[in-house]
Amino acid sequence: MPARSVLFAAIACGVVASVPALAVPAVAAAEMARWQAQAANVSIARDTWGVPHVTGKSDADAVFGLMYAQAEDDFPRIERNYINAMGRLAEVEGEQELYRDLRMKLFINPGNLQAQYRASPPWLQKLMTAFADGLNFYLATHPQVKPRLITHFEPWMALSFSEGSIGGDIESVDLARLESFYGQPSKPATIALASVETGLDPEPSGSNGFAIAPAITQNGHALLMINPHTSFYFRPEVQVTSGEGLNAYGAVTWGQFFVYQGFNERLGWMHTSGGGDVIDEYLESVVGKDGAWFYRYDGALRPLKAVPISLPYRLAGGGMGTKTITVYYSHHGPIVRAQDGKWVAVRLMNEPLKALTQSYTRTKARDYAAFYKTMELRTNSSNNTVYADADGNIAYFHGNFIPVRDPRFNWKQPVDGSYPATEWKGLHTVAQTITLFNPKNGWIQNTNNWPFSAAGANSPRQQDYPAYMSVYGENARGLHAVKVFQNRTGFTLDSLIAAAYDSELTAFESLLPPLFAAWDALPADDAQKLALAGKIALLRDWDWHYSLTSTATSLAVFWGQELAELAGPQARGQGVPVVDVMATNQVSAQQRLAALATAADKLQRDFGSWQTPWGEINRFQRLTGDLVQPFDDAKPSLAVPYASGNWGALAAYGQSSKSSTRRIYGERGNSFVAAVEFGPRIRAKSILAGGQSGDPKSPHFDDQAAMYARGQFKDVLFYPEEVDRHLERRYRPGE
């Protein structure tokens, strides 16, 4: 391969004049009059929890009001999502975010999105226009709000953020490898793997979706449990209705105009991350010729497409710099790294117009047939879907965007891009993917695990599908869910919530016996055996259930964390959950015992006793409205009984950032949670981590925190008369 320095000849850096302080541009009188006229068609009713119930004459009016209400609650999170989605983080955060921006701009191009906006159907154009107008009207009427970058929203921007997952497909591209390939020309063509942290899989390790059929409920109505595991405050709770049939309640990702996980008066939907293999990498054999780059395909050479991408960034001393990087594309997609002397192109779904259409139209579906029709757009790429409706149906869709591929290849690894047999051959129809509809057992569960236990004995069979349709294995939460639901009847809304908060940490059922065996095998007079005797006795007597007062939970979790540090590298090398490796003989008996000693010593050092109750350690704290929360052991916090989903906790709770405190402060896991009963009238209960508002001065900043910590839900106020009875304020945008 030619010297890679040629690749970087197009990289240039420059400095431009300092950027003036951002200010919202003056609004023309005609524009303001148009916004005010639309605001007159909108009513926002805030209930006693601060949840906005937005009503508009048309869908566009409702979207206008929804965006205005979101901006009232947390404009910084809205702006941040669009800064990130459009690849503009470095403009506010500095040079360290250049390659995160580059990753987005490999796929997101404003010109392309503008063209798609112009080509979109009139009804969707109206919604995108209302999206931008609602945000711009908020900025125009709140001059005290100073955006970091986006002072004016354009309708096409909605297409840059069209799918509500916490981590979209684009974010699967490894940033360290991308920077190594495009940013450091002195390095060799074969790029080392990015460094990774050892230890547990990060929180959230996904979400839970549970559906219960009328046959096993007390009232004969279908039930749905909506239990996403995201970073806290990633989604607020809303209701949005219109005179055109919109009536959706649930969680909306900041800055989007559709309810992502929720329900209407007839049906509900819950998305759990993961499913089929939707992203593929291709090894491209690249050669230099006549000053250009080519790649081999089907016995011939094809030119790589070279595209210069401009990346503005804020300078540390003020002002702006710009780096331009020429990136390369094969017909498979952008080149994102190198491996074994070849360049790697990534192929993934990039259909923002269809994705936005599907995200919105499913909220207006009123029966299974209509919901299924939205699924046939096949652009809900990163999710499974658990479904229930008022007709008594429950259903499951394992993925939605699944390319047809030759099953002879291992699609978990990069495939040979020069071989036509590795091409995608269209998409599987929904009927060809892994689905369930009204299984005989009467329940469906998904915990980001495989679908082959989704309905107990009535689950799909693994051998009936190509391997790429399900790339995850079973997990501890899946094993736990099956235990909770099998052979049970008489479910109610409250008993479904109780099941979803069942306190067993199922992973320890398999993790603890090898530890006990290792201790039993030690000689009776062994010093280590004597030193660990009390710890082993505590864990032997434990029933694997967490609680605020449980000292065994503290010891088990700290021991598990120590063991995960040892098993993490092996697990990642094998592509399996770390808990799976921890239960095998890949971890020695001595390592298990040493980890227990280390865990006990850490508890003793940090908390004064190795028998510290879990509630003294595991806490909820919300001090500021910062996008990244600070934590402080000296400041007030609430005891929380839940634990990491890695251990099988259905109510997942964990700290994802590097800890600088003694206590564990939750950042991810259960966030917005709702349980819904689809009877003649909707009955539902919900809870948010903290509260609806991101403003520490708001009474709704943390008014749900104590209830959240107790697992106590509030009643959802779905009908207008219910909202009226619990009304805090009713107003129109701009008032």
Side-chain angles (χ1 to χ4, degrees):
M1 182 177 293
R4 290 184 65 226
S5 58
V6 178
L7 175 63
F8 300 92
I11 297 179
C13 293
V15 177
V16 297
S18 296
V19 177
L22 293 177
V24 176
V27 178
E31 189 85 330
M32 179 62 78
R34 184 172 64 83
W35 294 341
Q36 289 172 335
Q38 188 156 31
N41 296 330
V42 178
S43 171
I44 301 173
R46 295 276 182 176
D47 67 26
T48 49
W49 298 103
V51 174
H53 302 259
V54 181
T55 303
K57 287 186 178 180
S58 68
D59 282 8
D61 295 334
V63 165
F64 178 93
L66 175 62
M67 301 316 301
Y68 183 94
Q70 284 188 52
E72 288 184 298
D73 286 335
D74 207 328
F75 178 79
R77 290 183 191 275
I78 296 173
E79 186 190 20
R80 173 70 178 219
N81 280 342
Y82 281 93
I83 290 172
N84 179 63
M86 294 187 293
R88 301 185 64 185
L89 269 178
E91 295 178 52
V92 295
E93 300 292 350
E95 192 173 8
Q96 69 270 19
E97 298 293 355
L98 276 175
Y99 289 92
R100 194 178 305 276
D101 286 353
L102 178 64
R103 178 172 66 182
M104 298 305 297
K105 288 183 175 180
L106 290 174
F107 303 93
I108 302 296
N109 178 283
N112 292 341
L113 298 184
Q114 290 162 16
Q116 291 188 56
Y117 166 74
R118 291 190 296 269
S120 62
W123 69 267
L124 188 54
Q125 281 192 16
K126 289 179 182 179
L127 300 186
M128 287 189 271
T129 299
F131 145 84
D133 286 348
L135 292 172
N136 291 329
F137 187 50
Y138 170 80
L139 291 175
T141 54
H142 293 75
Q144 73 276 17
V145 174
K146 304 298 183 185
R148 299 188 71 192
L149 182 66
I150 305 175
T151 59
H152 185 77
F153 287 82
E154 298 287 343
W156 61 265
M157 290 181 181
L159 292 166
S160 70
F161 191 34
S162 58
E163 205 271 351
S165 291
I166 190 168
D169 296 344
I170 294 172
E171 295 184 14
S172 67
V173 174
D174 186 270
L175 284 179
R177 288 169 162 175
L178 186 68
E179 181 174 1
S180 292
F181 188 80
Y182 284 115
Q184 301 177 37
S186 61
K187 289 195 173 185
T190 301
I191 306 301
L193 292 176
S195 61
V196 294
E197 295 181 2
T198 60
L200 285 172
D201 300 320
E203 295 288 354
S205 50
S207 304
N208 300 333
F210 307 137
I212 310 296
I216 60 171
T217 66
Q218 186 177 97
N219 295 331
H221 305 146
L223 302 174
L224 179 67
M225 190 73 197
I226 299 170
N227 186 191
H229 295 164
T230 68
S231 55
F232 296 165
Y233 329 122
F234 182 71
R235 298 188 185 107
E237 183 172 353
V238 304
Q239 183 177 21
V240 56
T241 66
S242 81
E244 295 180 337
L246 177 65
N247 188 6
Y249 193 109
V252 58
T253 306
W254 292 110
Q256 294 182 325
F257 61 78
F258 53 87
V259 170
Y260 181 66
Q261 290 159 321
F263 55 95
N264 58 37
E265 70 274 26
R266 293 283 305 160
L267 56 83
W269 58 96
M270 168 60 205
H271 300 308
T272 57
S273 300
D277 181 354
V278 300
I279 302 170
D280 286 321
E281 290 186 323
Y282 289 83
L283 295 170
E284 310 289 22
S285 299
V286 178
V287 297
K289 181 180 178 183
D290 300 327
W293 294 102
F294 296 80
Y295 66 104
R296 299 188 185 280
Y297 183 75
D298 198 18
L301 289 178
R302 289 188 176 187
L304 283 166
K305 181 181 179 181
V307 178
I309 293 180
S310 179
L311 299 163
Y313 62 95
R314 182 169 295 280
L315 298 171
M320 295 292 289
T322 300
K323 175 174 284 191
T324 300
I325 299 178
T326 296
V327 298
Y328 290 87
Y329 294 78
S330 73
H331 72 282
H332 296 119
I335 304 298
V336 296
R337 63 185 180 91
Q339 177 177 308
D340 301 328
K342 296 187 177 183
W343 292 4
V344 180
V346 66
R347 188 171 187 181
L348 50 78
M349 188 199 81
N350 191 11
E351 295 275 4
L353 182 55
K354 287 175 63 178
L356 186 59
T357 300
Q358 182 172 357
S359 293
Y360 185 79
T361 56
R362 68 168 164 254
T363 69
K364 296 188 71 173
R366 295 182 58 80
D367 57 27
Y368 180 73
F371 191 89
Y372 193 97
K373 186 175 181 180
T374 71
M375 296 296 285
E376 289 180 324
L377 287 169
R378 293 177 290 175
T379 51
N380 192 26
S381 64
S382 62
N383 295 303
N384 311 316
T385 302
V386 180
Y387 168 98
D389 67 31
D391 296 320
N393 299 309
I394 64 172
Y396 175 73
F397 303 85
H398 192 73
N400 185 237
F401 171 90
I402 307 287
V404 178
R405 283 157 285 193
D406 189 328
R408 294 176 298 170
F409 298 99
N410 178 7
W411 294 96
K412 291 183 179 180
Q413 301 296 325
V415 294
D416 187 348
S418 68
Y419 192 29
T422 61
E423 293 295 337
W424 288 0
K425 301 170 178 64
L427 297 179
H428 283 283
T429 65
V430 175
Q432 291 170 339
T433 61
I434 305 172
T435 60
L436 282 166
F437 182 67
N438 293 335
K440 292 180 180 179
N441 57 295
W443 53 265
I444 290 171
Q445 62 86 15
N446 185 254
T447 65
N448 314 104
N449 57 333
W450 63 5
F452 310 120
S453 60
N458 300 106
S459 302
R461 301 190 311 164
Q462 187 173 14
Q463 62 267 34
D464 292 339
Y465 301 93
Y468 59 72
M469 275 201 183
S470 178
V471 296
Y472 292 169
E474 184 61 281
N475 61 31
R477 284 182 293 122
L479 295 170
H480 189 178
V482 171
K483 277 188 177 185
V484 165
F485 292 114
Q486 65 183 355
N487 302 321
R488 284 191 59 182
T489 60
F491 277 100
T492 64
L493 207 58
D494 289 333
S495 68
L496 176 58
I497 292 171
Y501 277 67
D502 185 84
S503 61
E504 183 177 298
L505 298 181
T506 308
F508 289 105
E509 182 177 3
S510 60
L511 292 178
L512 286 173
L515 172 67
F516 299 152
W519 185 84
D520 290 341
L522 293 173
D525 59 350
D526 185 273
Q528 187 178 39
K529 186 161 192 168
L530 297 173
L532 294 178
K535 288 84 172 173
I536 293 292
L538 179 66
L539 294 175
R540 280 194 197 272
D541 290 340
W542 184 43
D543 62 0
W544 314 324
H545 286 255
Y546 60 69
S547 72
L548 293 178
T549 59
S550 171
T551 58
T553 300
S554 304
L555 183 60
V557 168
F558 274 58
W559 170 69
Q561 290 172 340
E562 292 296 327
L563 209 61
E565 292 296 321
L566 297 171
Q570 298 101 299
R572 270 177 278 277
Q574 298 168 34
V576 298
V578 66
V579 172
D580 289 358
V581 173
M582 290 164 60
T584 70
N585 59 12
Q586 295 178 67
V587 179
S588 70
Q590 184 52 44
Q591 286 174 321
R592 296 179 194 281
L593 296 168
L596 182 60
T598 301
D601 289 346
K602 182 176 172 65
L603 284 165
Q604 186 75 40
R605 180 180 68 250
D606 289 350
F607 300 100
S609 170
W610 63 265
Q611 298 184 75
T612 300
W614 181 234
E616 290 296 315
I617 298 169
N618 201 50
R619 313 290 289 190
F620 178 91
Q621 187 178 73
R622 192 180 194 189
L623 299 175
T624 73
D626 295 349
L627 297 179
V628 178
Q629 284 286 299
F631 299 110
D632 189 337
D633 284 333
K635 293 185 177 178
S637 61
L638 296 170
V640 174
Y642 324 127
S644 168
N646 288 295
W647 310 125
L650 294 177
Y653 189 85
Q655 184 167 354
S656 55
S657 62
K658 186 174 178 59
S659 177
S660 59
T661 58
R662 292 180 301 110
R663 286 171 155 174
I664 298 171
Y665 294 98
E667 293 175 281
R668 298 191 175 193
N670 273 25
S671 46
F672 166 79
V673 191
V676 192
E677 180 178 358
F678 294 97
R681 284 175 61 89
I682 289 290
R683 288 188 61 240
K685 297 186 177 184
S686 68
I687 193 67
L688 272 176
Q692 177 73 19
S693 175
D695 182 359
K697 297 187 294 295
S698 168
H700 305 302
F701 178 69
D702 60 0
D703 57 339
Q704 297 183 53
M707 293 170 61
Y708 173 88
R710 295 193 299 268
Q712 177 185 347
F713 282 46
K714 63 187 185 295
D715 290 331
V716 164
L717 308 174
F718 187 78
Y719 295 98
E721 62 271 22
E722 295 173 336
V723 177
D724 289 343
R725 288 196 297 269
H726 301 86
L727 185 65
E728 182 176 85
R729 181 189 175 209
R730 190 187 304 276
Y731 59 101
R732 299 190 187 281
E735 294 180 351

